[in-house]
Amino acid sequence: MPSTVTEMAASLWKSLLQTTKERILQQRRASLYIDAHGYEEELIKKKLQQFAGGSINLSKEDSGIGILTLNNPKLMNAFTGTMMLELQERVTELENWKDGKGLIIHGAGNTFCSGSDLNAVKAISNSQDGMNMCMFMQNTLTRLMRLPLISVALVQGKAVGGGAELTTACDFRLMTPGSEIRFVHKHMGLVPGWGGAARLVRIVGSGAALRLLSGAARVDPARALHLGLSEEMLSSSDETAALEEARAWLSQYTEGPANVIRAVKKVVTAGRELPLEAALRTEKDVFGTVWGGPANLQALVRRQRHK
């Protein structure tokens, strides 16, 4: 009996440690910054709430593709304070969407995003507020990048400044004729602060990233294709037609069961972000969630029938 009690205690202790470890990892995934970094999330949320306008709209289709729309066309979809807050809310909603497989981000009014609303920027121009806003948006866009959804930015018109940074938080970028991506931060006396520089280096390499940031160059669809910043130039500049093209393009990668598509995204994210040993362990764990699952068993039956 004592040994049984001891074994039970050891098992419970091991389970508690594992649960605690998973909770800590989940918290780390949720936030890059904590109070120890001087980050005051609730304070910056209250300040951002003061600068209203526009919206971030999300529709979730039966196909498993979500459509996230930046909706502030009178300011070329610039982020107001409340739009920054709504983006965080929409990302949380997408994190909890278990049937989701893909995501298209686009802007209303046939343009993508012109960055931050200057009225909000001027009002939070002191160093501490600026740092808090930077950390808030880095957290949100990092969570967006790590979603178990295959994401694509549909770039119509201009993706400038913070808008250009937002495109880099997606897995892919599609551009319409006449559109451009431009990191204009240098002309504002700044560098990217929403994680755009770090992500850009991983997409196009350090040399090309340095040229784009230091030159504040306009990147048209042809150059974006050459750099590997864009996957394809779509044929239509019309807002509705371009969205339909983007949906068709994305669907070739989201066809199949949601748990399999999401598993693919998870192992790629692990391979990109983690040291090799940790990435391998993650891949093993994710593999274990699909091995012997319905899609795997159905595929085995189909293979047998083919013989």
Side-chain angles (χ1 to χ4, degrees):
M1 180 69 72
S3 63
T4 304
V5 172
T6 303
E7 289 170 1
M8 289 177 60
S11 177
L12 287 170
W13 178 246
K14 183 179 179 180
S15 176
L16 177 61
L17 286 175
Q18 183 64 26
T19 302
T20 303
K21 180 182 177 183
E22 289 173 356
R23 188 180 298 117
I24 291 171
L25 289 173
Q26 188 174 7
Q27 289 170 347
R28 285 179 179 173
R29 283 195 296 267
S31 180
L32 289 169
Y33 300 105
I34 54 176
D35 293 343
H37 296 100
Y39 179 41
E40 299 176 280
E41 181 171 351
E42 292 309 313
L43 178 63
I44 195 61
K45 278 185 172 183
K46 288 179 182 177
K47 295 208 171 183
L48 292 173
Q49 191 67 50
Q50 299 170 20
F51 305 100
S55 61
I56 304 290
N57 307 123
L58 175 63
S59 64
K60 293 180 285 190
E61 301 178 347
D62 292 340
S63 63
I65 292 178
I67 309 293
L68 189 76
T69 305
L70 313 178
N71 186 21
N72 191 15
K74 67 179 181 179
L75 294 178
M76 292 177 61
N77 300 320
F79 272 95
T80 62
T82 52
M83 285 174 69
M84 293 182 191
L85 297 175
E86 285 187 25
L87 180 63
Q88 185 191 60
E89 292 170 2
R90 299 292 88 77
V91 169
T92 300
E93 189 175 344
L94 287 165
E95 286 172 337
N96 294 321
W97 185 27
K98 302 306 181 186
D99 297 324
K101 298 190 284 185
L103 177 68
I104 298 172
I105 299 180
H106 76 124
N110 219 30
T111 196
F112 189 73
C113 176
S114 60
S116 302
D117 177 11
L118 293 181
N119 291 322
V121 170
K122 290 174 184 176
I124 57 173
S125 59
N126 72 74
S127 179
Q128 187 56 51
D129 285 344
M131 287 294 287
N132 277 321
M133 185 270 287
C134 167
M135 290 186 276
F136 179 83
M137 288 300 289
Q138 277 193 18
N139 279 340
T140 300
L141 293 186
T142 300
R143 288 169 58 191
L144 171 64
M145 180 178 67
R146 290 173 175 169
L147 286 171
L149 308 172
I150 299 175
S151 59
V152 59
L154 171 56
V155 181
Q156 299 168 266
K158 298 181 186 297
V160 181
E165 293 194 64
L166 175 58
T167 71
T168 67
C170 294
D171 298 311
F172 303 110
R173 285 144 294 281
L174 301 173
M175 299 180 71
T176 61
S179 64
E180 68 178 58
I181 298 173
R182 190 179 186 190
F183 296 85
V184 297
H185 304 75
K186 185 185 79 168
H187 293 326
M188 300 294 292
L190 295 169
V191 297
W194 295 357
R199 293 188 297 267
L200 184 64
V201 168
R202 285 161 171 77
I203 295 168
V204 301
S206 59
L210 185 58
R211 292 196 300 273
L212 294 182
L213 294 177
S214 62
R218 290 184 175 89
V219 183
D220 63 20
R223 188 177 181 191
L225 275 172
H226 175 71
L227 291 171
L229 184 58
S230 171
E231 303 302 312
E232 192 173 307
M233 182 173 75
L234 303 180
S235 61
S236 179
S237 295
D238 175 76
E239 185 172 358
T240 303
L243 184 57
E244 191 54 44
E245 278 192 75
R247 189 184 280 108
W249 185 91
L250 181 57
S251 65
Q252 65 186 313
Y253 302 109
T254 58
E255 184 180 349
N259 69 314
V260 176
I261 304 303
R262 293 164 68 88
V264 170
K265 174 64 184 288
K266 287 175 183 177
V267 297
V268 170
T269 298
R272 179 186 63 216
E273 297 190 13
L274 300 176
L276 179 58
E277 290 80 1
L280 290 170
R281 286 193 294 271
T282 299
E283 186 171 320
K284 175 264 299 179
D285 292 340
V286 175
F287 176 83
T289 67
V290 292
W291 175 265
N296 177 226
L297 294 177
Q298 289 169 15
L300 291 173
V301 170
R302 287 196 300 270
R303 294 284 295 215
Q304 287 175 353
R305 286 174 180 168
H306 288 179
K307 288 181 178 179

